[in-house]
Amino acid sequence: MNLFADIRTLVTDCLTAMAAEGQLPARLDFANVAVEPPRDAAHGDMATNAAMVLAKPAGVKPRDIANALAPRLAADPRVAEATVAGPGFINLRLAPAVWQGVVATALEFGTDYGRAMAGAGRRVNVEYVSANPTGPLHVGHTRGAVFGDALARLLAFAGWDVTKEYYINDGGAQVEVLARSAYLRYREANGEAVEIPAGLYPGDYLVEVGKALAAEFGDSLMDQPEESWLPDVRDFAIERMMAMIRDDLAALGVTMDVFFSERSLYGTGQIEATLAALEEKDLVYVGELEPPKGKLPEDWEPRPQTLFRSTAYGDDTDRPVRKADGSWTYFAPDIAYHRDKIERGFDLLIDVWGADHGGYVKRMKAAVAALSDNRVELDVKLCQLVKLFKAGEPYKMSKRAGTFVTLRDVVDEVGADVTRFVMLTRKNDAPLDFDFAKALEQSRDNPVWYVQYANARTHSVFRAAEEKGAGVAEESLKGADLTLLGHPAELALLRKIAEWPRLVETAAQHHEPHRIAFYLYDLASEFHALWNRGQDEPGLRIVQPEDPAASRARLAMALAVRVVISAGLGILGVTPASEMK
RNA sequence: GACCCCGUAGCUCAGCAGGAUAGAGCGGUCGCCUCCUAAGCGACAGGUCACAGGUUCGAAUCCUGUCGGGGUCGCCA
């Protein structure tokens, strides 16, 4: 399905034949042989570096290899022309039939066109969002949610068996703060005037939790000591918060396969067992840390503590797993959690975190490497900050939380589809400016709109054909005579469509869903460009009432565009539009 | 002080596994928009890829160092 892979196979087959005939040494390693689109389209459709990368190991001049290889490539019916250029590139021009065949492939496979097997059914766990259950998700979480979800969908499309997972940080001190905050709202619901002191969560979202507590417990918790009500209130509030978070995620189109509670690790011995396993490898010990150089924390005093020897796996310093009071640090249960993931048999772990957790990456990787004996890879994707704007002005409104803009605020303002697409118009590790006004703008510089518009046109063109008496059933287009797609502008579009399978593979390999968004914009541009040319050159229009065969071929092409845009938007989790409103 | 991310056109950013003359949108300049397929179209200009070394046939891309911006740095999660 991936034309570039097909042609690369042709290249290596020819090289193998050359070796068999003594033109090249046997046993050459072809790993570095690449077949790629040339940077400059004028050079041809594809280029291979084979002659240059093999020159040294073969002990043959690059041009000599190229001159021998090129005619062999040209002998293949798919190759129209193979020329040697520059230091030893071989530029290939493919027969139009190859590009035309891409349309047939796209129609045959539908939105499965481009689906890859690179994952080969291996199991990957993508952990994302994982916000504390202490309040509504904010904009930063939104980016992580969209990124993680799109990455999960991308990997699934690329042949991985994906589990989407949320780690609930319900084991630390924050959920006790949550409990105290909710308890105050409970007292409020029971008619008491309360003031939320600094250090507790002031957001209005807890008011309804307080009322719910009052409905559940009546006044039985009033004037009781904290020990007696805290566990119940805490559990109640966490459940409420998680229900809210699930709703918020659902509004964004994000659903998880697994919610994993940190608290569920406590009291089961799993944390202890994990540390014991590490201790057996001499990776846990009691020692004293050097104070950090430069800025010395004011209250620093040296003391012995239980440490994980993460330096054995590339970290800068060993990391504590117990606090001064003997309780676990955040790290300890998190190690146990990752061990659980390893034991569930995943081949690859991906964590999506905010950039402010960057300092945590090395120790977690060290832990996963140690626990899996380097068998399981952990890739941590950091998402940078989102800055909000409205028509260029900084935007800090919050309807619900009082102090920060929530996920729900964003989705209410522009919708889930727009939110998702815009969040993916930047690489995850680049800061993102999100402008509410621009996101809804109907113009070329709004990629969401531009891509949706292209997709809408692939629908409207069928309606237009109908009106002109040139209507066809979409299903019948598989029989269209695609050799009629020969105009350079059409071939340019077909080449773009042909890139799709390759793009899916590289985006999945790099764990970078934003590449899908950029590709879709490019594809849309190519389609719009062809469409616009039809304004001036009626002969290029898709619907040709006087020429049913040409109409059919071009409608098939439009359908192929739709197939790819739909598949791409599907990976991003965006609903394709069939018309613009 | 250390570690991580970033530094590409006036602005916002892409750049695929190291490939040939580094791309897009905006902004700028110039044209078109009586025909037609929905909210415009097209062309041009604009770059020491932060800087200096190194590896390589070849570096924006890999390595080292410097500078600049951001993030983080035991008992927060």
Side-chain angles (χ1 to χ4, degrees):
Chain A
M1 204 186 288
N2 182 344
L3 271 180
F4 293 88
D6 295 347
I7 298 300
R8 185 179 182 278
T9 303
L10 171 64
V11 170
T12 53
D13 285 350
C14 288
L15 291 168
T16 303
M18 286 168 67
E21 292 170 26
Q23 287 179 301
L24 286 174
R27 292 169 177 277
L28 278 177
D29 180 7
F30 298 151
N32 291 326
V33 172
V35 173
E36 307 173 309
R39 188 174 275 174
D40 187 342
H43 289 130
D45 298 321
M46 293 187 187
T48 179
N49 61 356
M52 288 177 298
V53 298
L54 295 177
K56 195 178 227 178
V60 183
K61 284 183 207 161
R63 300 270 320 186
D64 291 348
I65 299 179
N67 285 326
L69 178 57
R72 288 176 184 266
L73 296 173
D76 189 278
R78 289 168 292 182
V79 178
E81 190 185 355
T83 54
V84 180
F89 281 102
I90 300 174
N91 291 322
L92 303 176
R93 196 167 293 284
L94 302 189
V98 173
W99 304 117
Q100 291 153 358
V102 167
V103 172
T105 309
L107 296 198
E108 184 191 340
F109 286 89
T111 46
D112 281 333
Y113 170 59
R115 192 176 281 280
M117 291 176 296
R122 281 173 293 167
R123 299 182 59 216
V124 57
N125 181 291
V126 184
E127 184 212 321
Y128 56 110
V129 191
S130 296
N132 302 328
T134 55
L137 299 175
H138 56 67
V139 197
H141 297 128
T142 309
R143 187 175 188 184
V146 170
F147 175 84
D149 201 62
L151 176 58
R153 291 172 194 243
L154 170 62
L155 290 171
F157 197 72
W160 288 81
D161 178 0
V162 182
T163 298
K164 302 185 288 183
E165 194 151 322
Y166 184 122
Y167 180 58
I168 308 169
N169 293 142
D170 54 3
Q174 284 127 333
V175 287
E176 313 212 328
V177 175
L178 171 72
R180 292 186 194 106
S181 309
Y183 182 71
L184 279 183
R185 294 301 190 181
Y186 159 79
R187 299 186 73 94
E188 186 178 48
N190 273 317
E192 200 168 294
V194 302
E195 202 171 302
I196 310 293
L200 296 191
Y201 301 117
D204 286 347
Y205 58 89
L206 287 176
V207 172
E208 54 192 284
V209 177
K211 287 180 184 160
L213 277 167
E216 175 84 13
F217 294 97
D219 60 2
S220 66
L221 306 181
M222 298 292 285
D223 305 315
Q224 297 290 315
E226 182 174 295
E227 316 81 85
S228 72
W229 55 256
L230 192 133
D232 284 343
V233 170
R234 182 191 59 210
D235 292 354
F236 188 94
I238 289 174
E239 195 166 312
R240 287 294 170 130
M241 291 299 103
M242 285 312 299
M244 176 178 69
I245 286 170
R246 282 177 215 241
D247 279 355
D248 285 357
L249 289 175
L252 188 61
V254 174
T255 53
M256 297 286 173
D257 299 315
V258 176
F259 284 87
F260 192 105
S261 157
E262 174 189 356
R263 180 169 293 278
S264 75
L265 291 164
Y266 288 88
T268 63
Q270 289 180 73
I271 301 173
E272 293 78 2
T274 301
L275 292 177
L278 291 172
E279 200 165 358
E280 225 163 85
K281 301 178 185 187
D282 191 31
L283 293 171
V284 170
Y285 67 103
V286 175
E288 215 169 88
L289 279 181
E290 295 282 317
K293 299 195 168 150
K295 280 185 296 188
L296 188 69
E298 285 173 24
D299 56 348
W300 178 273
E301 48 187 59
R303 63 176 187 84
Q305 48 191 341
T306 308
L307 298 168
F308 167 55
R309 200 186 300 283
S310 51
T311 48
Y313 290 86
D315 201 358
D316 313 297
T317 177
D318 294 337
R319 305 292 179 174
V321 293
R322 277 190 198 277
K323 301 180 192 173
D325 64 3
S327 65
W328 301 118
T329 62
Y330 174 78
F331 190 33
D334 208 8
I335 299 175
Y337 170 51
H338 281 76
R339 178 171 179 249
D340 183 83
K341 288 199 264 192
I342 292 166
E343 288 178 349
R344 276 186 274 155
F346 291 104
D347 301 291
L348 171 66
L349 304 181
I350 298 178
D351 287 0
V352 179
W353 299 346
D356 55 340
H357 290 55
Y360 200 72
V361 173
K362 283 188 180 180
R363 79 191 67 172
M364 202 65 248
K365 284 191 173 186
V368 169
L371 288 167
S372 72
D373 291 314
N374 286 308
R375 280 196 311 272
V376 179
E377 185 196 348
L378 168 66
D379 187 20
V380 180
K381 305 296 283 186
L382 299 179
C383 287
Q384 275 290 350
L385 292 177
V386 178
K387 279 189 213 159
L388 295 172
F389 297 88
K390 192 159 194 174
E393 296 298 316
Y395 188 73
K396 288 179 180 163
M397 166 217 81
S398 171
K399 290 174 184 158
R400 225 177 8 161
T403 51
F404 55 88
V405 178
T406 65
L407 179 152
R408 204 48 96 101
D409 292 331
V410 180
V411 171
D412 287 350
E413 187 93 9
V414 301
D417 285 335
V418 169
T419 302
R420 293 185 65 118
F421 197 105
V422 173
M423 289 287 176
L424 292 164
T425 54
R426 287 288 175 269
K427 229 174 359 191
N428 59 290
D429 53 9
L432 171 73
D433 289 349
F434 190 112
D435 192 308
F436 287 99
K438 280 186 183 163
L440 295 174
E441 200 171 275
Q442 302 191 342
S443 75
R444 176 167 194 159
D445 58 321
N446 178 1
V448 197
W449 178 83
Y450 201 60
V451 170
Q452 290 284 28
Y453 186 23
N455 195 65
R457 275 182 161 169
T458 68
H459 284 89
S460 70
V461 69
F462 280 88
R463 298 193 287 269
E466 196 75 43
E467 285 165 18
K468 296 189 177 183
V472 293
E474 291 177 11
E475 308 76 50
S476 77
L477 289 173
K478 288 183 184 174
D481 179 6
L482 300 173
T483 62
L484 298 171
L485 300 173
H487 191 279
E490 291 170 339
L491 289 173
L493 179 59
L494 299 188
R495 285 190 190 95
K496 203 74 205 171
I497 295 171
E499 280 178 30
W500 172 240
R502 180 175 185 272
L503 187 107
V504 168
E505 283 181 26
T506 52
Q509 182 189 343
H510 291 271
H511 305 159
E512 291 184 344
H514 76 274
R515 294 186 191 218
I516 304 289
F518 280 92
Y519 168 84
L520 291 178
Y521 182 82
D522 285 347
L523 176 64
S525 294
E526 208 71 64
F527 184 61
H528 286 308
L530 178 61
W531 186 282
N532 291 330
R533 283 187 67 164
Q535 306 275 3
D536 298 327
E537 304 173 47
L540 272 180
R541 289 176 199 168
I542 290 172
V543 179
Q544 299 288 328
E546 308 302 316
D547 188 347
S551 286
R552 286 167 56 78
R554 293 174 188 182
L555 286 168
M557 178 179 66
L559 196 50
V561 170
R562 186 202 299 174
V563 157
V564 174
I565 293 181
S566 301
L569 288 178
I571 290 170
L572 305 185
V574 175
T575 314
S578 58
E579 60 182 330
M580 306 304 277
K581 290 171 191 159

